[in-house]
Amino acid sequence: MQKIKSLMTRQGLKSPQESMADLSPVENLRIPSKEELRELREQPIDPLAEQEIIDSIEEIYFSNDSFDMVQHELEKLPPELNLKELEEYRDKLKRQQAAVSKKVADLILEKQPSYVKELERVTALQTNLQLAAVICTNARRQLSVAKEGFTEASLGLLANQRRRQLLTVKCVFFFFITSLLLTFKHYSCISELNSKLQDTLEQIEEQLDVALSKTCKHFDVSHYTKVQMAYTLLGKTQTAMDQLHMHFTQAIHNTVFQVVLGYVELCAGNADTKFQKMQYKDLCTHITLDSYIPCLTDLCKALWEVMLSYHRTMQWHEKHDKQEITAYKSDELLVDRSYVKKKLEHGLTRIWQDVQLKVKAYILGTDMSNFKYDDFIVVLDVISRLMQVGEEFCGSKSEVLQESIKRQSINYFKNYHRARLEELRMFLENETWELCPVKSNFNIAQLHEFKFMGQCRSPSVSPSRQTVTSTSPAQEELSLFQQYIQEGNPFEMHIEHKDEETEDVLASNGYESDELEKSVYQDYDSDSDVPEELKQDYVDEQTGDVPVKSVSRETIRSRKKSDYNLSKSNAPILTNTTLNVIRLVGKYMQMMNILKPIAFDVIHCVSQLFDYYLYAVYTFFGRNDMYESSGLGLISSRLRTTLNRIQESLIDMVCFIPFHGPTEDRKEKVPSPHLSQLVVLTNSGTLYGLAQRVVATESLVFLAEQFESLQSHLDTMMPAAKKPFLQQFYSQTVSTASELRKPIYWIVAAKAIDYEQMLLMMAGVKWDIREIMSQHNVYVDVLLKEFEQFNTRLGDVSRHVRIPLPVSNVLWEHCIRLANRTLVEGYANVKKCSNEGRALMQLDFQQFLMKLEKLTDLRPIPDKEFVETYIKAYYLTENDMEQFIKNHREYSMKQLANLVNVCLGSHINKKARQKLLAAIDDIDRPKR
């Protein structure tokens, strides 16, 4: 019967073919449609024959709903199939299906009238039940109204009336007893009665005092109201207030002692009771490092409950005093209320002072110098929140707490900073100056250490409160006492460390678009080292190529030739060490943000991190004794002063001297770092470690940029008297980071091109010719070839590290400046030179400039006038030559003297020569 019902629910929904897909094998016996039922009834089938067909169906078809008839029939197939046999078997199955369908149809038709009748009865029953439910609901509502409006009100009135009658009777007895005592007090029995009543009164007061003390930890409005009403009846309102403050003081002491004692005994792991006899201050010294933060949190939670109870006590008195003064205006009542108000206001400062002293003893009872950074930040956060509570509680600045946490912070920070400097030295000495692949949109705000800066708040507000206010804007103006007056605790969140979000700052590989990088670089580099004369044919041969990623060759060539950014995305250039320094700065700023009194100490340490990084980069890649002799002014006086200051104040040079013990002054210094042996700076194939130099120098520039972005925030933290230090640090140190590019890249420029070979080739040129030449000298082509190779090698380096435009400009500037000065030096070595020779010099230089301008977009060409002026000086008269010598101090004495000697005999005589040489000697004399 159940199977027939399930078949009925599916009648007419799907065709037989569709039903095969989602019905169980037994349910595939669908109910025939009306037309099919009619056909089945019209078919003249013998009932016996029909029953025989049904009996011939296998028993397994009636077994259960999970039977798979298709699988069953497929498994019965013989290994070798016969089409005729299959068709006969298929017809047999069809006959069986037709017989079953007809049988089902007959049963349905037979039971249909009964089904319809029963369905009507069920529908009627459902309607009656719904009506009954409505009637019950209305009845209950009416009963509730009757209960509230009549029964409760009436019974309440009766109960109050009965209580009034009883109290009236009691008042009669009390008045009687009072008059009895006054009238017959000379009788001994009355005296004894009076003593017993006094004892009873004292017991009542003792019980009231106990009840009053309970409100110090968990304030209950109804409980406190009853206690105050009792004291009012006794006429001891002022006494109750004095007792209340004594209980609050005792509650603070008992609370902190029990909290600390519980943790000390738990960590001690034995039943020794010696701790219970200790003073609280001594007990605090037995707290272990592991239990320090949980104990501090529980301590603050417990003290919060006490202060909250006091706060709610004040609220109760403000509310009830106004009501009583309005209802009963009497002098005695006014005096009592005035006394209570002053007592409560004075008690605010007293209670907060007690809280500060208890927490101070706990803070100073443990040496926190070895705490983990995150743990120490939690401690600062908890104390900052406690100071916020104090400010809201009584307007106190919490000088006691600030001084104690400042002492611990300075002690901790000195050790922490010293360890971080040593760690930074280790990082720098193991740094291979490989690029750290970050995304092009990388920003320090994405780092966890700088998340606190995104939450705009006053530095006095603890980070825990930021979490609340940032997620609930509606609560921003609520004080802590308003937020947690009913439930919760502002210190609950400190027992849980914040779950770190996943930082998304690293690129998946070195580039954000690797295919574009390869295609663009190949197009750009394919003809970068081909002479200009051959480029036109090359371009014509490539006409018709499909641009890759919409970057055409014309677009590539329209960009600056010295811009090697094409091979990389514009992601910042930094190393793992740079990232570590930035994270350290974020951690230092977190500490400074929570505790402003040590802001100057923290900023001073932040400046040392930058100083040490800058000094390391200079020491590794920029220190060279050839600076002074170059005459190029590679190190500015400001940069030299900064480097000297860092070396004197931060670098421990004595550590390299044996048998030199540590001194107090040396504890603040760090040994100078050493470049890793894995970094090779002598290989000409890598342009003398140009990739590493670029990563190191540009990571320093990036670090300086991040410091610039933090200046305004640091300035707000810095005490007014110490702000000149911060301003000097930025103007004298941070701003000099980019100036290191000149000395560091000059070393590459000085070695990348063979200037000595050019001097030798120039020495072999004959300059005292007598005819104008139309062909330049070979040394120019050799020099240009050197520049083309330099350009190619720059491209090779840029495949691995992006070379920013300022870097390529500095490199080209150095190379061109050195080449031009080498030209002047070569011209100054000439012994004999004619006017035609000078013209040949000008031709050589113009050819050099023309070809050079096709290799670089650097304009103007550095030291162009330096060469041209020197060549043209050959044509000056005696007087002009003397003035030239006085005005052009950029030329060496040798170069000026050679200029005079070469001009001898053409338009300068020997007397003039002596005069000019004497003028040169006068210029050189002050330098000696």
Side-chain angles (χ1 to χ4, degrees):
M1 189 62 186
Q2 289 296 112
K3 294 181 180 178
I4 293 175
K5 286 183 179 180
S6 66
L7 291 171
M8 289 171 62
T9 59
R10 293 169 172 78
Q11 183 176 3
L13 293 179
K14 295 182 180 180
S15 64
Q17 291 79 6
E18 292 173 332
S19 300
M20 291 293 292
D22 56 358
L23 296 178
S24 65
V26 175
E27 290 172 342
N28 286 336
L29 298 174
R30 70 177 181 85
I31 302 302
S33 64
K34 292 181 178 179
E35 292 77 8
E36 292 174 333
L37 288 172
R38 189 181 302 111
E39 292 177 0
L40 289 171
R41 287 197 299 270
E42 292 174 354
Q43 292 177 2
I45 300 178
D46 185 6
L48 295 177
E50 181 181 300
Q51 187 61 40
E52 289 180 0
I53 293 174
I54 293 175
D55 293 340
S56 66
I57 298 175
E58 297 181 48
E59 286 294 330
I60 194 171
Y61 277 91
F62 303 99
S63 57
N64 53 57
D65 291 346
S66 62
F67 168 63
D68 188 349
M69 65 174 68
V70 177
Q71 183 67 25
H72 174 68
E73 294 297 339
L74 289 175
E75 290 176 352
K76 288 169 58 179
L77 292 177
E80 295 182 3
L81 301 178
N82 186 294
L83 180 59
K84 185 177 179 180
E85 293 178 355
L86 287 176
E87 289 178 346
E88 291 177 354
Y89 188 70
R90 181 196 62 188
D91 294 340
K92 177 184 176 182
L93 291 176
K94 284 185 176 181
R95 287 194 298 272
Q96 291 176 346
Q97 183 183 18
V100 171
S101 299
K102 186 174 184 303
K103 187 68 173 178
V104 170
D106 291 341
L107 290 173
I108 290 173
L109 292 174
E110 180 182 347
K111 301 295 182 180
Q112 187 173 8
S114 300
Y115 168 76
V116 173
K117 184 177 179 180
E118 191 66 27
L119 188 60
E120 290 175 352
R121 289 178 60 194
V122 170
T123 305
L125 179 61
Q126 183 179 7
T127 304
N128 293 333
L129 289 174
Q130 290 176 346
L131 179 60
V134 172
I135 293 172
C136 290
T137 303
N138 292 333
R140 288 179 179 177
R141 186 183 301 111
Q142 295 298 329
L143 286 173
S144 178
V145 171
K147 178 182 177 182
E148 294 176 0
F150 175 75
T151 307
E152 289 184 356
S154 300
L155 292 177
L157 287 173
L158 292 174
N160 290 333
Q161 178 63 22
R162 183 172 179 274
R163 189 180 299 110
R164 180 182 178 183
Q165 291 176 351
L166 291 174
L167 290 175
T168 302
V169 173
K170 288 182 179 179
C171 285
V172 173
F173 281 115
F174 287 148
F175 284 124
F176 175 75
I177 293 173
T178 302
S179 62
L180 185 67
L181 292 175
L182 292 174
T183 306
F184 303 104
K185 60 182 179 181
H186 53 280
Y187 292 105
S188 60
C189 61
I190 299 300
S191 178
E192 292 177 2
L193 177 62
N194 186 32
S195 299
K196 289 183 179 180
L197 289 175
Q198 288 294 331
D199 293 341
T200 303
L201 183 61
E202 290 177 1
Q203 291 178 5
I204 291 173
E205 290 181 357
E206 288 178 1
Q207 293 299 321
L208 281 175
D209 192 55
V210 173
L212 185 64
S213 66
K214 292 180 180 179
T215 64
C216 295
K217 292 185 179 180
H218 302 287
F219 183 85
D220 181 79
V221 174
S222 61
H223 177 79
Y224 189 74
T225 302
K226 294 177 182 177
V227 172
Q228 283 296 325
M229 188 179 296
Y231 274 110
T232 302
L233 292 173
L234 292 174
K236 295 187 176 183
T237 305
Q238 296 183 12
T239 303
M241 193 51 54
D242 294 337
Q243 289 295 107
L244 180 65
H245 281 80
M246 184 189 69
H247 288 314
F248 268 106
T249 302
Q250 190 65 29
I252 291 173
H253 174 76
N254 292 341
T255 297
V256 297
F257 187 86
Q258 290 301 322
V259 170
V260 176
L261 177 64
Y263 275 93
V264 170
E265 290 182 340
L266 180 66
C267 297
N270 53 46
D272 194 350
T273 58
K274 66 176 182 179
F275 297 117
Q276 296 180 357
K277 299 178 182 179
M278 284 186 176
Q279 294 292 324
Y280 171 74
K281 187 175 181 181
D282 297 330
L283 194 64
C284 291
T285 61
H286 289 79
I287 290 290
T288 61
L289 297 182
D290 293 337
S291 61
Y292 188 86
I293 292 178
C295 182
L296 175 63
T297 305
D298 287 346
L299 195 66
C300 292
K301 283 182 181 180
L303 290 172
W304 161 261
E305 295 295 339
V306 175
M307 289 186 285
L308 180 62
S309 295
Y310 194 88
H311 177 79
R312 296 187 67 184
T313 302
M314 290 191 68
Q315 283 187 329
W316 186 93
H317 280 279
E318 289 176 2
K319 179 181 178 181
H320 286 75
D321 289 354
K322 289 179 181 178
Q323 295 175 353
E324 289 185 1
I325 291 174
T326 304
Y328 313 102
K329 294 184 178 179
S330 65
D331 293 339
E332 184 179 355
L333 182 63
L334 290 174
V335 171
D336 284 345
R337 298 309 172 224
S338 176
Y339 178 85
V340 169
K341 182 179 179 181
K342 290 181 179 178
K343 191 74 174 178
L344 288 171
E345 290 176 350
H346 176 72
L348 285 171
T349 305
R350 178 183 170 185
I351 287 175
W352 176 241
Q353 188 68 12
D354 289 344
V355 169
Q356 286 192 88
L357 292 174
K358 297 300 182 184
V359 178
K360 175 187 176 182
Y362 183 84
I363 292 174
L364 299 180
T366 302
D367 182 10
M368 291 190 279
S369 60
N370 295 320
F371 270 35
K372 295 179 181 178
Y373 171 81
D374 291 337
D375 291 341
F376 190 74
I377 287 295
V378 171
V379 173
L380 293 183
D381 196 12
V382 172
I383 300 302
S384 177
R385 172 55 64 93
L386 186 61
M387 289 191 287
Q388 182 190 348
V389 170
E391 187 173 358
E392 294 181 4
F393 185 69
C394 62
S396 171
K397 297 301 180 184
S398 308
E399 290 83 1
V400 175
L401 280 179
Q402 286 199 31
E403 182 60 31
S404 59
I405 199 65
K406 181 181 178 180
R407 284 170 55 186
Q408 285 283 30
S409 297
I410 293 175
N411 182 39
Y412 171 82
F413 196 72
K414 283 183 178 179
N415 291 334
Y416 181 80
H417 179 61
R418 175 66 189 180
R420 298 293 77 74
L421 280 178
E422 288 292 341
E423 186 181 82
L424 178 57
R425 180 170 74 95
M426 180 190 70
F427 273 121
L428 289 168
E429 291 185 343
N430 290 277
E431 180 64 68
T432 57
W433 304 103
E434 296 291 335
L435 196 64
C436 178
V438 295
K439 293 191 173 182
S440 57
N441 63 345
F442 170 72
N443 189 287
I444 59 173
Q446 299 167 355
L447 299 176
H448 295 306
E449 289 78 5
F450 291 90
K451 292 294 184 184
F452 73 96
M453 292 183 62
Q455 300 157 340
C456 299
R457 65 178 180 88
S458 169
S460 62
V461 181
S462 66
S464 56
R465 189 186 183 195
Q466 299 170 41
T467 307
V468 175
T469 57
S470 62
T471 55
S472 306
Q475 297 183 358
E476 285 183 359
E477 298 181 359
L478 297 179
S479 68
L480 293 176
F481 288 97
Q482 290 171 326
Q483 292 180 44
Y484 301 101
I485 193 167
Q486 294 298 333
E487 60 181 357
N489 193 299
F491 298 96
E492 287 177 351
M493 60 195 68
H494 293 290
I495 59 175
E496 299 177 1
H497 293 285
K498 299 176 182 177
D499 295 332
E500 292 191 351
E501 301 173 1
T502 303
E503 288 182 346
D504 187 19
V505 297
L506 298 180
S508 57
N509 53 15
Y511 322 102
E512 290 188 333
S513 179
D514 208 36
E515 294 180 2
L516 177 60
E517 179 271 328
K518 291 179 181 177
S519 61
V520 169
Y521 183 82
Q522 289 167 357
D523 281 349
Y524 174 72
D525 188 59
S526 58
D527 58 349
S528 60
D529 58 342
V530 178
E532 189 67 26
E533 299 90 300
L534 301 179
K535 288 185 178 179
Q536 185 62 40
D537 293 337
Y538 181 84
V539 174
D540 289 344
E541 292 173 1
Q542 297 297 325
T543 301
D545 284 354
V546 179
V548 181
K549 295 286 186 180
S550 301
V551 181
S552 64
R553 297 177 186 277
E554 290 74 14
T555 303
I556 300 299
R557 294 192 182 90
S558 67
R559 301 184 185 180
K560 292 182 176 295
K561 299 182 182 68
S562 52
D563 185 359
Y564 296 90
N565 289 330
L566 296 172
S567 62
K568 302 287 180 293
S569 65
N570 288 324
I573 297 178
L574 67 157
T575 66
N576 289 324
T577 304
T578 319
L579 207 56
N580 182 62
V581 172
I582 293 174
R583 290 185 187 277
L584 275 179
V585 172
K587 290 181 177 180
Y588 283 22
M589 290 179 65
Q590 282 183 39
M591 190 178 301
M592 175 180 61
N593 211 45
I594 296 174
L595 198 63
K596 289 189 68 175
I598 65 167
F600 172 71
D601 302 272
V602 176
I603 291 179
H604 177 68
C605 294
V606 167
S607 69
Q608 288 187 340
L609 294 176
F610 187 86
D611 287 347
Y612 197 69
Y613 194 92
L614 182 146
Y615 187 83
V617 172
Y618 164 74
T619 304
F620 293 166
F621 303 102
R623 179 175 284 173
N624 195 293
D625 296 333
M626 298 171 62
Y627 291 148
E628 298 298 334
S629 62
S630 67
L632 298 177
L634 297 172
I635 297 185
S636 64
S637 58
R638 183 176 64 165
L639 177 58
R640 188 175 300 282
T641 301
T642 298
L643 292 171
N644 290 336
R645 176 189 62 78
I646 295 173
Q647 182 168 310
E648 291 173 4
S649 63
L650 186 60
I651 307 302
D652 184 11
M653 306 302 293
V654 184
C655 65
F656 301 108
I657 303 176
F659 310 111
H660 224 289
T663 62
E664 193 65 29
D665 183 53
R666 286 184 58 202
K667 289 181 179 179
E668 305 296 327
K669 297 185 177 182
V670 190
S672 180
H674 300 284
L675 182 64
S676 171
Q677 295 181 354
L678 299 176
V679 181
V680 180
L681 303 179
T682 56
N683 187 355
S684 61
T686 61
L687 275 180
Y688 305 94
L690 177 60
Q692 287 80 9
R693 293 177 190 272
V694 168
V695 171
T697 309
E698 300 314 305
S699 68
L700 174 64
V701 173
F702 175 79
L703 185 61
E705 292 171 353
Q706 305 315 302
F707 268 77
E708 293 283 357
S709 67
L710 297 172
Q711 183 176 4
S712 59
H713 188 86
L714 293 175
D715 189 67
T716 59
M717 299 291 102
M718 185 68 103
K722 300 292 185 178
K723 286 190 176 182
F725 168 82
L726 185 65
Q727 296 169 357
Q728 185 178 12
F729 167 66
Y730 272 93
S731 62
Q732 298 295 324
T733 305
V734 177
S735 61
T736 61
S738 59
E739 295 181 13
L740 272 182
R741 285 171 172 161
K742 282 191 174 182
I744 289 176
Y745 297 136
W746 182 86
I747 298 175
V748 176
K751 297 179 179 180
I753 293 177
D754 192 351
Y755 304 102
E756 292 297 328
Q757 179 190 9
M758 186 171 65
L759 281 176
L760 293 175
M761 294 185 69
M762 292 178 69
V765 177
K766 187 177 181 182
W767 300 103
D768 55 344
I769 56 177
R770 294 303 176 186
E771 59 181 13
I772 300 296
M773 304 297 292
S774 60
Q775 180 64 35
H776 60 272
N777 283 302
V778 178
Y779 73 87
V780 177
D781 294 330
V782 174
L783 180 59
L784 288 169
K785 187 64 177 177
E786 290 270 346
F787 273 100
E788 289 174 359
Q789 292 176 354
F790 173 71
N791 189 32
T792 302
R793 289 154 76 185
L794 275 182
D796 294 338
V797 173
S798 69
R799 293 177 186 271
H800 306 288
V801 175
R802 176 174 65 90
I803 300 180
L805 185 59
V807 176
S808 62
N809 285 343
V810 169
L811 285 166
W812 278 100
E813 179 184 353
H814 282 334
C815 289
I816 295 172
R817 195 181 296 276
L818 286 169
N820 285 337
R821 290 179 177 266
T822 304
L823 287 174
V824 171
E825 187 65 22
Y827 296 151
N829 291 333
V830 175
K831 302 299 182 184
K832 294 181 181 180
C833 182
S834 61
N835 290 335
E836 292 78 7
R838 285 293 172 180
L840 180 57
M841 290 180 183
Q842 288 181 331
L843 176 63
D844 289 347
F845 188 60
Q846 292 303 319
Q847 177 68 15
F848 172 67
L849 291 178
M850 182 180 68
K851 296 290 186 180
L852 183 63
E853 288 175 351
K854 296 175 182 179
L855 291 174
T856 178
D857 284 310
L858 188 63
R859 300 291 185 275
I861 297 296
D863 279 353
K864 175 182 176 183
E865 293 78 8
F866 183 78
V867 181
E868 291 178 339
T869 303
Y870 188 80
I871 296 174
K872 292 176 182 178
Y874 176 80
Y875 303 105
L876 296 176
T877 62
E878 177 185 342
N879 293 334
D880 292 337
M881 180 68 75
E882 185 175 0
Q883 193 64 33
F884 177 87
I885 291 171
K886 293 179 180 179
N887 294 338
H888 292 273
R889 302 292 182 89
E890 66 270 21
Y891 298 106
S892 66
M893 299 301 105
K894 172 194 170 185
Q895 292 168 350
L896 293 174
N898 179 268
L899 191 62
V900 173
N901 290 328
V902 171
C903 294
L904 179 64
S906 59
H907 54 280
I908 294 180
N909 55 35
K910 291 185 177 181
K911 184 178 179 181
R913 171 178 175 271
Q914 294 298 326
K915 180 181 177 182
L916 293 172
L917 291 176
I920 294 172
D921 189 61
D922 291 340
I923 294 173
D924 187 47
R925 189 174 292 114
K927 299 180 182 179
R928 297 172 186 171

